[in-house]
Amino acid sequence: MTRNTERLEDGTSRRTFIAATGTASALALAGCAGSGGSGNDTTGDGNGNDTGGGKKGLQTDVLTGDGSSTVFPITNTAASYWNSNPEPGDEDYWPKKWAKEQYSTDKRLADFFAGKYGYEATGKRSKPPFRVSIALSHSGTGIEGVMNGRVDIGDSSASAKAELAGKNVSDSKMKKFVDHVVGVDGQPIVVSKEIKDAGVEQITLSQLKKIYKGKITNWSEVGGPDRDILALGRAQGSGTDTAFRKNVYGDPKASIDPDQRYGKNQQLQQAVSKANNAIAYIALAFVQPSGQVPPIALKIEDTVYEYGKNLGAKEYPLSRDLHAYTWENTSAQEAAFLNFVLSDFGQDMFVKGNNYFALPKDRLEKQRKKVKPSKYE
């Protein structure tokens, strides 16, 4: 079980207990059954009242997250490492070059990063100070989950503002979202392998717009075979779909007409791989350059943007930030885990390791300041 905060319409809150479950909970790589946390509210007065001004937050056995299938590979991989809490020198998960040489620590992985926030390891336990469970859905679910107090962290591949557009969320409530950018996605355009093999290696931005408006319907119109185009997209409410419409058409609510929509990147990847005439917009982590879901280049004016070369360029319009949102007064637990993802280790293992772009140094420092340990002393 994990304890959370239910936000009420009048802006007040009450403490509630909710089950720490999800359809895709973080899998432990070793010895993570159960929890090492106490489940006690360390900032209260003993009567259930929060006396810590929101600084330390509510301490729980399990930190929960939900949302974007694009961000999921980052936060779920991080949760797996955290929950396994490996010893320093474990070359698979807490290598000597990081633990000993860069961080000069003899602590287990989660104990080291949590220790910066006051979670001191006791004895030689292998369990982390608290567990992290990340569920898989889509951005809208993650954003609303944080806003409604259902989860602690909401993964989203589009901004909260874009995801909640038209849903009558007040400005005062919008200001309570704390945006933690954990990486960058280049969002490439992919096609079925047979289309790439037939010679379609790039299209223009104008052609892409027309394909998803139903104005170009045959691959022969863009230099390919005489075959109908199967235009695939993500479900409305997913950050990938919201970002695509915002970046390509300039409006997150722009009307487009894909032939089929899918709730998760994983499902979209599978659909492209099984078709012989598909095109899709997808997250970087799900491209198969030499497989059944190959990327094609996108030409915009005089610049050609290609997978593996310049999709991370600031000018590439389909580039988008990957967010892990918290609610106001980010708790120490939330900060400890997010700082872990934003560490040099996290950026290398969980962001780059999933084929996303790590944050440049200046942006990384800005994000780290939001969760710096000194704020929780």
Side-chain angles (χ1 to χ4, degrees):
M1 303 287 281
T2 181
R3 189 165 21 185
N4 213 323
T5 303
E6 181 179 344
R7 283 106 190 174
L8 307 180
E9 289 300 319
D10 62 2
T12 61
S13 64
R14 64 170 177 260
R15 305 302 184 194
T16 61
F17 283 92
I18 60 176
T21 60
T23 57
S25 297
L27 300 177
L29 298 180
C32 70
S35 169
S38 65
N40 297 321
D41 180 355
T42 59
T43 64
D45 61 2
N47 298 312
N49 299 313
D50 185 356
T51 60
K55 199 71 171 179
K56 288 288 286 185
L58 199 61
Q59 309 308 308
T60 68
D61 285 339
V62 182
L63 183 73
T64 59
D66 191 7
S68 169
S69 63
T70 302
V71 186
F72 179 79
I74 297 174
T75 53
N76 187 59
T77 306
S80 297
Y81 277 58
W82 181 280
N83 291 338
S84 71
N85 201 19
E87 294 180 327
D90 182 324
E91 290 306 306
D92 289 324
Y93 305 112
W94 192 210
K96 180 180 178 181
K97 73 172 185 177
W98 288 103
K100 301 287 189 178
E101 297 174 14
Q102 176 147 342
Y103 295 117
S104 301
T105 184
D106 291 320
K107 294 182 178 181
R108 290 178 175 271
L109 182 65
D111 289 336
F112 170 70
F113 284 97
K116 298 175 181 289
Y117 296 81
Y119 297 94
E120 295 302 327
T122 57
K124 295 183 178 180
R125 70 175 186 207
S126 61
K127 297 175 183 178
F130 56 87
R131 292 188 64 242
V132 181
S133 177
I134 307 295
L136 171 62
S137 55
H138 55 75
S139 296
T141 302
I143 292 293
E144 293 185 13
V146 168
M147 182 171 66
N148 297 330
R150 182 177 61 82
V151 294
D152 304 300
I153 295 173
D155 289 343
S156 180
S157 56
S159 69
K161 182 178 180 180
E163 278 299 314
L164 295 173
K167 295 190 176 182
N168 299 319
V169 178
S170 67
D171 289 342
S172 61
K173 182 166 284 190
M174 287 299 302
K175 290 178 181 178
K176 293 183 179 181
F177 282 104
V178 183
D179 184 8
H180 307 275
V181 179
V182 295
V184 178
D185 178 25
Q187 199 177 27
I189 303 302
V190 297
V191 296
S192 298
K193 186 176 186 298
E194 289 190 30
I195 297 301
K196 181 91 177 265
D197 290 346
V200 180
E201 296 189 352
Q202 75 172 45
I203 59 174
T204 67
L205 181 61
S206 175
Q207 290 170 335
L208 180 66
K209 289 180 178 180
K210 290 178 181 178
I211 287 172
Y212 279 93
K213 286 285 189 178
K215 296 179 180 179
I216 292 179
T217 59
N218 193 289
W219 282 109
S220 62
E221 298 177 68
V222 292
D226 183 9
R227 188 176 297 172
D228 288 343
I229 294 176
L230 178 65
L232 304 180
R234 288 290 310 284
Q236 295 186 42
S238 71
T240 299
D241 182 67
T242 300
F244 177 79
R245 288 187 284 170
K246 180 178 185 294
N247 293 338
V248 173
Y249 298 97
D251 179 2
K253 296 297 179 182
S255 175
I256 60 175
D257 191 27
D259 296 299
Q260 297 174 26
R261 289 181 179 273
Y262 295 86
K264 300 178 178 65
N265 279 297
Q266 292 86 345
Q267 297 168 328
L268 182 57
Q269 180 194 56
Q270 185 176 38
V272 174
S273 71
K274 290 184 175 180
N276 64 4
N277 62 337
I279 185 172
Y281 48 93
I282 202 167
L284 272 170
F286 300 91
V287 176
Q288 297 173 347
S290 302
Q292 298 299 117
V293 189
I296 60 172
L298 187 62
K299 185 176 182 180
I300 304 174
E301 297 180 348
D302 296 325
T303 303
V304 176
Y305 294 94
E306 299 180 68
Y307 177 86
K309 293 186 178 180
N310 58 349
L311 296 191
K314 184 177 181 181
E315 297 76 19
Y316 181 54
L318 273 69
S319 176
R320 67 303 190 21
D321 289 342
L322 303 179
H323 312 264
Y325 281 98
T326 58
W327 200 242
E328 61 178 344
N329 296 321
T330 303
S331 74
Q333 284 183 329
E334 294 161 355
F337 180 69
L338 290 171
N339 182 60
F340 174 52
V341 177
L342 292 167
S343 68
D344 291 339
F345 176 79
Q347 291 287 291
D348 189 70
M349 301 297 287
F350 314 137
V351 180
K352 291 181 180 179
N354 281 296
N355 295 321
Y356 293 123
F357 301 107
L359 294 174
K361 187 176 180 179
D362 58 335
R363 297 195 68 198
L364 194 56
E365 290 305 315
K366 180 179 180 180
Q367 294 303 317
R368 286 173 175 171
K369 286 181 181 178
K370 298 178 185 178
V371 293
K372 61 182 181 180
S374 62
K375 294 177 66 175
Y376 297 87
E377 292 175 352

